[in-house]
Amino acid sequence: MSILKVFLIIFFLFNLNTVKADNQEKINQITKNLRCLVCQGQSVYDSDSEFANSLKTLVKQRLDEGLSENQIYDYLKIKYGEWILYDPELNKNTLILWLLPILIFLTGGAIIFKKFFLNIRK
Amino acid sequence: MKKKLLPFLVILIFGIIFIIFYKGLEDTNIYTPNLNVKKNIPIFNSKDFYSDISLKSEDFFEPDKIYLLNIWSSWCVPCRQEHPLLMMLAQNDKINIIGLNYKDNKKNAVNFLQELGNPYKKIFIDLDGTKAIEWGAYGVPESFLIYNNKIIKKYIGPLNQNLINEMKQLIK
Amino acid sequence: MLYSTIGHYSLILGLGVSLLIVFSSVKNFQNSKTVGINILSFTFLQFFFVVVSFFSLIISFVLSDFSNETVFNNSHTTKPFFYKVAGTWGNHEGSLLLWLLVLTLFIFIFILKTKNQPTKYKLLTLIFQQIIIIGFFLFLIETSNPFNYLFPSPDEGLGLNPILQDPALAIHPPILYLGYVGSSIIFSSALAATSLNLVSRKWASHIKKWILISWFFLTLGILLGSIWAYYELGWGGFWFWDPVENVSLMPWLALTTLLHCILVLERKSILSSWVIILSIATFTLSMCGTFLVRSGILNSVHTFANDPERGLFILIFLFILIFLSLFVFFFFHKNEQKVSHRFFWLSKETSILINNWFMMYFLSVVLIGTVYPIFLDVITSKKISVGPPFYNKLLVPFLIPFLLMMAVGPRLKWIKSQLEGKIYLITLLIISILLAYLILKNFNQNILINTVLVSSAFYLFFISSRDFFSDKLKNISQNIAHFGFSLFILSILFNNIFSSEIITNLKVGETFENSETKIVFESLNQKQEANYKSIIANFNIQNSNGDIDKFSPELRIYNQPIIVTSEADIQTSLMKDKFIVINLVQNQKFFNVRYQEKPFMLWIWLSVMLIAIGGLSGLLKRRL
């Protein structure tokens, strides 16, 4: 009976490890998306400055409290501005940013298509 | 007609790009965060430096009083430079200086204060740096001028005489 | 001091010779049958003066002549000899001298070696290039003089940034500039050819060598920058979509597209307008990049001194060049579709058109991502960051059709083609998909997109390998380059998917262990070097096979200026890199330890070298 208990405890601890591992994955994912504000061009994940380390701790705390990735981003945007996020979110400010390349792609396609159309008709 | 339109359009577009780049040069590139937006001070819990009692910020900051929250550490070199200015400012009755001890070792911090003096009416502890982030700080040293539970001004980096003079003007 | 004076006056003389060159070229323009020995001599003389100036600066650095402001700012008596020399071009002013060196060298070789082209064309190219050269002389002398005099002259210099003392960083600028600045020749000659209505198959054959040379060095230059970042900067990454990196990538994208188009123009008289536009665009992007990086308008990792006054000069210079090119293009270029060329769906021309289409899309993504924050800031005062997630989301999906087209395209013939060897094509596709799935099925993240990506890369890999063995020597340069690219994508994908990392805090004597790795923090040594104190951490790391490797990452505390750097210990082997770095944690007795296993890193570098070799072989083949 006690062997079963031991087994269950070990099993539980192993799962805890995977839960922690997932959390670490999540922390990595989030911190890769955050700009280290006191460095020149590094993410919080990559940086080892005091600021970056504090942020990593903060992200972990918030995740443990149950906040979602987006909630953490919103919280940090209030504190530091949109500049802290590397992934520009799609809003009215960044509409052109995201759409212009796609537009260019479609225009390029249209030009090539036209070239064919015109030539085939001849 | 169409043939004339295209060059004109292209030149126009490049002209606009030129103007935008020109204007862009006038800004500095380093992101200067908006230092003047009146934001509410964050609500946070922390331990008192000397007594280790947990404090809630809402209990602590009274409206109608002016506070200067100063983030400092014993290992921070510019903090040493600004400290004498803080000592002088502490003598001013209108302003209450509060300290946030950032990622520090208690013994080193106590020694720092013994060596350079203690201008702080109260000191909070931030062991992992997360409280500073609550304030939207970037590091040490950094100071926040507070009135009516709002951040009036944020000072990034060590204080100097000019900033102190400016602060004194604002307090009036 | 003597050398600074020589250097300074050499620059002024060089500028004077530019004016001489322009004057004589214009004078001889109408009647000469040949360029004339006097103009050739002037071109050489101009190059000579720049060389003298450049060497004067090198000597000033080597002698630690701190009466020279540039040397004072960027050097130090205790710097090793090699880095004193390399420090010459590792700063803003010196790197501009390097610009002039390449500009004048290339035009001299161009005038000397170009045969079988009309004299007017050569003279006009010379004139256009002189416009660029004069611009740079003025920029240098007025705003960025490497020979400013300091009095009284200091005893010691300021420049001992340890990050800049690295062999890869030393040769990265010269190699990069040969490509980056070398595209100026393509720019000038394209403008000259347009003005004289000479854009034709013959011109294409002639300019192709220059495109290949520029492209070869640009590819290597970018590679060296990434290698430096990986080995020296200490975070294990090699590309971050940082503005300075993007700024070197954009001309590369334009140049690669140009390379493909010139192949078409060489055989058929089509796409001439587009070739001109791309030629102009490549150098324009180089200049634009210089502007973005040196003016202070963008925030990035590079440590060039930022100065808005210089920024203004480059901005105006850049736009003068742009408006000049636009004028030449619209005024002189006559779009003659003499031969109504019929496009068939299945043909080499089509595949190159599609390549262009995708490359221009990639270019627009990088350009917009880099420049958009500036526009937004100016127009709305909002500041945003555009980082890796943006580029990954927009580029990666398009890689899939791109890779597939790269596999199929080269097999098509000109004008009209049948898709030969359909059985091979389909079989290899199935093999690619199966192989990708087998390799990836145990890794759960993003399995669909990764499988599709890996399959496409494998497809290109297999097709180009098979073509290599069946086509003998017909198209070897394109073959090697495409094969290299498939290897590049595969290496990056596998590196991304199979990398592992352990981040932990350890004190001396502690151990970290998980199912695959055991890290033992053995001991700590301290060493005092000439200008830094070094803390060396010794680790034994055991992998799942039981093999133990020793690692010794370092922390270096420099004393002037006070900088702490972290030197990673990287052990490179054919199949994977093992990477460990330590960092101090403020006020704690433990260190933060990061250990990464990164498969296929070496293959990333080797595959880019292979791509460059592919291009080089294209150059050499013509000589045979």
Side-chain angles (χ1 to χ4, degrees), chain C residues 466-477:
Chain C
R466 188 190 160 254
D467 285 349
F468 181 76
F469 289 113
S470 63
D471 264 356
K472 312 293 175 196
L473 287 173
K474 200 159 59 144
N475 236 331
I476 198 171
S477 54

Side-chain angles (χ1 to χ4, degrees), chain B residues 64-110:
Chain B
D64 272 358
K65 277 204 194 161
I66 303 177
Y67 297 92
L68 184 72
L69 181 86
N70 174 257
I71 306 182
W72 65 281
S73 309
S74 60
W75 47 263
C76 149
V77 174
C79 300
R80 292 188 156 251
Q81 292 167 346
E82 74 169 0
H83 210 78
L85 291 171
L86 287 173
M87 290 303 293
M88 285 202 332
L89 198 59
Q91 292 169 358
N92 186 322
D93 281 332
K94 286 205 184 155
I95 192 167
N96 300 301
I97 309 186
I98 315 288
L100 182 62
N101 187 234
Y102 179 80
K103 287 189 168 185
D104 214 345
N105 170 297
K106 183 77 168 282
K107 214 167 94 175
N108 294 338
V110 168

Side-chain angles (χ1 to χ4, degrees), chain C residues 146-157:
Chain C
F147 302 107
N148 282 333
Y149 184 54
L150 278 180
F151 185 79
S153 69
D155 291 325
E156 187 55 276

Side-chain angles (χ1 to χ4, degrees), chain C residues 35-162:
Chain C
V35 170
I37 194 75
N38 56 337
I39 293 186
L40 182 62
S41 320
F42 288 149
T43 318
F44 177 72
L45 195 61
Q46 180 183 59
F47 171 60
F48 176 73
F49 280 131
V50 175
V51 170
V52 167
S53 194
F54 192 68
F55 269 93
S56 308
L57 190 60
I58 294 183
I59 296 178
S60 300
F61 265 83
V62 169
L63 293 179
S64 290
D65 176 7
F66 295 123
S67 69
N68 176 314
E69 189 179 12
T70 305
V71 180
F72 170 66
N73 278 323
N74 297 292
S75 196
H76 199 271
T77 46
T78 63
K79 243 190 188 179
F81 176 79
F82 180 66
Y83 293 121
K84 279 185 183 154
V85 173
T88 314
W89 55 78
N91 60 77
H92 170 73
E93 297 87 1
S95 67
L96 286 175
L97 254 184
L98 195 58
W99 262 87
L100 269 176
L101 200 64
V102 179
L103 283 170
T104 49
L105 174 67
F106 270 49
I107 191 65
F108 170 61
I109 297 181
F110 181 86
I111 296 290
L112 185 67
K113 287 262 171 179
T114 303
K115 322 250 181 262
N116 307 325
Q117 294 290 332
T119 303
K120 281 195 178 156
Y121 161 70
K122 292 200 258 188
L123 287 177
L124 202 51
T125 306
L126 183 57
I127 295 178
F128 278 118
Q129 186 84 344
Q130 288 305 313
I131 297 178
I132 304 173
I133 292 176
I134 292 175
F136 270 90
F137 267 124
L138 287 174
F139 184 47
L140 216 57
I141 297 176
E142 295 295 311
T143 76
S144 317
N145 199 326
F147 302 107
N148 282 333
Y149 184 54
L150 278 180
F151 185 79
S153 69
D155 291 325
E156 187 55 276
L158 298 176
L160 208 49
N161 191 343

Side-chain angles (χ1 to χ4, degrees), chain C residues 237-258:
Chain C
F238 60 93
W239 189 263
F240 197 60
W241 297 110
D242 177 83
V244 170
E245 295 171 320
N246 294 352
V247 136
S248 64
L249 187 61
M250 290 192 269
W252 186 88
L253 287 169
L255 199 52
T256 309
T257 316
L258 178 58

